[in-house]
Amino acid sequence: MKLKIKVFLRWICAILKGDYFFFGLKPVPKSKFIWSDETTLTLPILQSPMKEGKLRNLQIAINQLNERVLYPGRIFSFWNEIGNPTIGKGYTEGRVIRGGQVSSEVAGGLCQLSGIIYYLSLELGLKILERFPHSRDLYTEETRFTPLGTDASVVYPTKDLRVKNTHPFPLLFSWDLKTSELTFRIKSPSPIKRNKLHFQQTTKNGFSNVQVFLEPEGNGELILCSSDDYRL
């Protein structure tokens, strides 16, 4: 019952904001666009105690998203596309961070999928409507698979990743999943400038603050994208 109430409240908020009416990836149209431009991001999938479950969960989720189109003005919502990740849908136990503690739960590991979407969306100048950082930094610089500050925590249904296509043309999302790496591709009929990200990190009182800046024009002018605190 509590979950149903949370889902209801989330959808009511999305409807009142107007975002709900723009949710949704669409199937690839036949012979309408030539996907001539492609931007790719590949991140490693490192060894962990629950890696097998993570890979299974990632593959099930990717099957829901792969080779689908985000049209101009439309909004990608992670949970609108994936739905409730249950055992009945094939999801299994994977590692998660909840309240700063490492544990396991069904569909654990999906944050690497949401994170790679967030990371590449930042670089391509898409509008981030909703994103949550993790509460804790589990990694060292040697074991980190993505820069701190480019993560995106997702918890059904309360923590979502929502990204708006602000370009005047559609974007085709596709993924390749291997045992050691995850690749995300955004294809488009026109070129998209890939912006440079800058990171500034400070540590104090057991927390690490990470600020992520976007350099859109390559002229040294930086725009603050996020400022997140991580428990060490």
Side-chain angles (χ1 to χ4, degrees):
M1 181 59 71
K2 289 183 179 179
L3 178 60
K4 290 182 178 179
I5 293 174
K6 289 179 180 179
V7 172
F8 175 76
L9 292 175
R10 287 290 288 167
W11 290 125
I12 287 295
C13 289
I15 291 171
L16 292 176
K17 289 174 63 178
D19 291 350
Y20 174 82
F21 304 102
F22 295 93
F23 283 167
L25 297 174
K26 301 295 182 181
V28 179
K30 294 182 179 179
S31 304
K32 188 175 181 180
F33 298 105
I34 298 176
W35 308 103
S36 56
D37 191 75
E38 178 179 299
T39 308
T40 300
L41 177 63
T42 297
L43 297 177
I45 298 177
L46 303 177
Q47 191 61 42
S48 65
M50 308 193 78
K51 182 178 179 179
E52 183 177 343
K54 176 179 182 175
L55 288 170
R56 176 183 175 90
N57 295 334
L58 287 172
Q59 188 61 68
I60 294 171
I62 286 171
N63 290 342
Q64 296 290 110
L65 308 174
N66 211 15
E67 298 296 326
R68 294 179 69 81
V69 177
L70 186 65
Y71 282 93
R74 302 292 295 185
I75 297 170
F76 167 82
S77 162
F78 191 87
W79 291 127
N80 181 70
E81 299 299 332
I82 301 298
N84 187 3
T86 63
I87 293 176
K89 294 178 181 178
Y91 290 97
T92 188
E93 292 281 325
R95 191 173 72 167
V96 297
I97 305 173
R98 293 288 180 263
Q101 301 298 317
V102 179
S103 61
S104 66
E105 65 181 42
V106 173
L110 290 184
C111 290
Q112 184 155 1
L113 179 58
S114 57
I116 200 171
I117 297 170
Y118 173 63
Y119 192 169
L120 192 55
S121 296
L122 277 182
E123 291 189 321
L124 297 187
L126 304 184
K127 186 175 183 179
I128 308 302
L129 301 180
E130 182 174 320
R131 170 258 177 184
F132 297 88
H134 287 88
S135 57
R136 181 179 172 188
D137 181 17
L138 295 177
Y139 305 98
T140 65
E141 293 307 316
E142 292 73 26
T143 61
R144 198 180 307 286
F145 61 82
T146 189
L148 192 62
T150 60
D151 56 305
S153 176
V154 285
V155 181
Y156 184 83
T158 53
K159 292 185 177 182
D160 199 4
L161 174 67
R162 296 178 183 175
V163 178
K164 185 176 183 179
N165 180 8
T166 50
H167 295 289
F169 43 78
L171 305 174
L172 175 62
F173 288 3
S174 67
W175 283 266
D176 286 325
L177 176 65
K178 300 178 181 178
T179 56
S180 60
E181 64 183 27
L182 173 64
T183 297
F184 178 36
R185 296 183 177 88
I186 293 183
K187 302 177 183 180
S188 60
S190 299
I192 306 178
K193 175 179 171 55
R194 189 167 191 167
N195 302 304
K196 185 176 181 180
L197 298 181
H198 296 263
F199 302 87
Q200 181 175 313
Q201 184 173 356
T202 56
T203 301
K204 186 177 181 180
N205 298 328
F207 286 86
S208 180
N209 175 263
V210 179
Q211 293 183 318
V212 181
F213 297 88
L214 183 70
E215 185 181 349
E217 302 298 333
N219 57 6
E221 182 180 352
L222 302 180
I223 299 173
L224 179 64
C225 299
S226 62
S227 179
D228 304 316
D229 290 316
Y230 299 87
R231 184 182 304 168
L232 298 176

